[in-house]
Amino acid sequence: MSRKKKALPVLENVTITDYAAEGKSLARVNDLVVFVQFAVPGDVVDLQVKRKKHSYCEAEIIKFIKYSDKRVKPFCQHFGICGGCKWQNIPYEEQLKMKQKQVFDQLTRIGKIQLPEFNQILGSVKSQAYRNKLEFGCSNKRWLTQEEINSGAEFSQMNAVGFHITGAFDKILPIEKCWLMDDLQNKIRNAIRDYAYETDMSFFDIRKQHGLLRDIMIRNSDTGEWMVLIQFHYEQSGDEAEAKKLLKYIADKFPEITSLLYVNNQKGNDTFNDLNIEVFKGNDYIYETMDGLKFKVGAKSFYQTNTEQAFHLYSVVRNFAELTGKELVYDLYTGTGTIANFVSRYAKHVVGIEYVPEAIEDAKVNSKINNISNTTFYAGDMKDILTDEFISENGKPDIIITDPPRAGMHPDVIQVIINAAPKRIVYVSCNPATQARDLTLLDSTYKVVAVQPVDMFPHTPHVENVVLLDRRN
């Protein structure tokens, strides 16, 4: 006979006292640390514990006793369910303070190295419609909110276009309006959805791997161009023709789309870097501009999703590098060569390395269209390409700029950087925790001399951080 699972407690009249990692807030009940989503310091609440460990637990709000005076009204109808903008209920100025504290806490607690005084975080130019890219899932399993379930209503339409729900990979929360990007993306997404409803197009079932309409990516740029990529899953004769009818409808309805693309994805996930992308209308790319430069961005290209703030981020990088025109610069994880080309006019030569071959081809094109002749780009895994032999062939860098993914840098890469002995390292990170870990490995040879947090993603807990390191004598 199985033991009955012990019911988790309700914590009453709890005051939220602080912010925690990953967008959560924090309270203390006796010796127990409690992490809570969508709470603001100063809130007094009743909490239902959902997951309990020895010294901490995770809980959700079941009743508000008192609202914090720090709260603001969220502007999005999907707030609290979508999970994408967890801090909409917090004033933007307060969000910036939290992000500054997050960078400080992670670098000091994880890094445990000597640090200078941090520069004040650079807030985003825009706090709404700041993104140039969004991706939406299409599923035959619509997520029903608790309010919808409690209503007792029957929902005949269970197909949905929107965002994945955390912890429910096969379910999609239908999104009517997202505020993170120019409103045209809402019109395009909803038009695709409505057409699919009206024509009874099948939506993808990720568990059973069937259904035609699978995923939508929308990009725009400061040049006014729009890219739409629709992922389909062909199963039977006629599916491709049905897909192309949808594409034709969208092409006719939205002449603003300059790059309309599609892909037949038969894989178990929605990634398409290894798939052949077809052009239905226009080009297979759009252009972004920055500081007088043009950048070609394809469907597979990485480009900072906050265009205006990217300029400020890269300006910090360029200022930290202190280039005089005589330096050989290595730009690691170069993407489409944005940073490499951005700093090239101030350097003798820039070598960029990136693991996505298509991005490297874009980087080369970006140099060409901007008449930049002092860049060289290589494609491949960083730890395999950046070796002592590579440095012997390409020259010892005076400056290394590195902008790795969230996982940070591989220890082998860090060791090659140390062996290369550049006089200066500029480390850009979207994850200060892994950046702190890497700084510890660099600390015996390099000293952190400047720290500049930059907010690229308002209303989320994510923060970029730029660190300048000088070689120790």
Side-chain angles (χ1 to χ4, degrees), residues 82-101:
C82 164
C85 301
K86 297 176 181 176
W87 284 356
Q88 273 189 36
N89 55 359
I90 302 167
Y92 186 53
E93 298 74 19
E94 190 72 14
Q95 294 179 32
L96 293 176
K97 292 178 187 176
M98 293 155 55
K99 295 187 183 195
Q100 180 92 8
K101 182 176 183 295

Side-chain angles (χ1 to χ4, degrees), residues 317 329-334 339 382 386 399-405 408-409 413-414 417 425-430 435 438 442 465-467 469:
V317 172
V329 178
Y330 278 18
D331 180 29
L332 311 185
Y333 313 92
T334 191
I339 291 178
M382 193 65 58
L386 187 65
I399 310 289
I400 285 182
I401 298 170
T402 181
D403 186 5
M409 294 191 290
V413 175
I414 294 175
I417 290 174
I425 300 169
V426 182
Y427 188 155
V428 186
S429 174
C430 59
Q435 184 183 48
D438 293 348
L442 290 163
N465 190 48
V466 188
V467 169
L469 302 102

Side-chain angles (χ1 to χ4, degrees), residues 405-423:
R406 289 189 64 79
M409 294 191 290
H410 192 281
D412 292 351
V413 175
I414 294 175
Q415 190 55 55
V416 173
I417 290 174
I418 291 172
N419 294 345
K423 64 182 178 182

Side-chain angles (χ1 to χ4, degrees), residues 176-209:
E176 188 64 34
K177 180 178 176 67
C178 178
W179 294 76
L180 292 181
M181 193 175 178
D182 183 283
D183 192 53
L184 183 59
Q185 55 84 20
N186 288 309
K187 296 174 183 176
I188 293 171
R189 181 196 63 250
N190 291 345
I192 294 171
R193 175 201 65 196
D194 293 346
Y195 177 92
Y197 284 172
E198 290 164 10
T199 60
D200 202 25
M201 181 178 285
S202 61
F203 283 56
F204 194 63
D205 185 320
I206 197 167
R207 289 184 183 272
K208 296 180 180 178
Q209 293 287 298

